[in-house]
Amino acid sequence: MTSELTHFDAQGQAHMVDVAAKDVTHRVAVAAGRISMQAATLALITSGSAKKGDVLGIARIAAIQAAKRCADLIPLCHPLPLTRVAVEFEIDAAANAVLCRAQVETLGRTGVEMEALTSVQIGLLTIYDMCKAADRGMVMGDIRVLEKHGGKSGDWSAP
């Protein structure tokens, strides 16, 4: 693991990394996270009776949209032509939580980890937004990259 921070130049000023010399490869990143809530809130989501509608359906669309807009939100991210964004939600009834997993892909010169992380976070934030009237104490966490593939550094999986 390198300790060099690539978003700073020799003078310590922030800059966008030049990726022009990198090879175009198929790049994939998978990220995940969770939102914990009261049992009654989870029941609203699973029953489809939340006042604002289909919580997970809307959260999925928001998560996909977020991956596509990542460069608009994070200043030094490159705008990337994404070839695939897949978002899945899983209900963890025992923990009163919803798990979100996003897989983002591109054919490009830089990875899509930030797009996958942004997708997960916005998906979870959308669940919060749609259910906050019922439960303002929801907690998001465990948001992380699970794996990445492609590029010069090759494959990586979280331990």
Side-chain angles (χ1 to χ4, degrees):
M1 187 166 154
T2 180
S3 63
E4 183 180 329
L5 298 176
T6 58
H7 286 91
F8 294 96
D9 64 18
Q11 292 76 39
Q13 297 175 342
H15 72 102
M16 189 176 208
V17 174
D18 183 358
V19 297
K22 291 184 173 186
D23 291 333
V24 172
T25 63
H26 180 224
R27 296 167 185 263
V28 179
V30 178
R34 65 188 299 117
I35 184 167
S36 302
M37 60 197 66
Q38 297 172 8
T41 308
L42 187 61
L44 285 173
I45 292 171
T46 58
S47 69
S49 59
K51 288 183 182 179
K52 292 186 178 182
D54 178 9
V55 174
L56 299 183
I58 299 300
R60 180 175 293 103
I61 297 301
I64 292 168
Q65 185 175 351
K68 296 181 342 181
R69 301 296 301 261
C70 186
D72 293 335
L73 300 170
I74 301 174
L76 300 178
C77 280
H78 292 82
L80 299 176
L82 302 181
T83 58
R84 180 171 188 252
V85 180
V87 178
E88 300 171 357
F89 292 99
E90 179 183 333
I91 303 297
D92 182 349
N96 293 321
V98 177
L99 312 175
C100 178
R101 182 180 182 275
Q103 179 169 322
V104 180
E105 301 183 29
T106 191
L107 295 172
R109 299 179 192 275
T110 189
V112 286
E113 296 96 307
M114 295 308 299
E115 288 74 10
L117 287 165
T118 301
S119 177
V120 167
Q121 189 65 71
I122 296 300
L124 297 175
L125 284 168
T126 301
I127 293 170
Y128 186 95
D129 179 54
M130 294 189 71
C131 298
K132 68 183 181 278
D135 184 358
R136 295 199 187 275
M138 291 176 280
V139 176
M140 290 165 273
D142 298 327
I143 298 150
R144 65 188 188 130
V145 174
L146 297 177
E147 58 188 84
K148 62 90 51 199
H149 305 282
K152 189 170 108 176
S153 63
D155 296 346
W156 178 87
S157 292

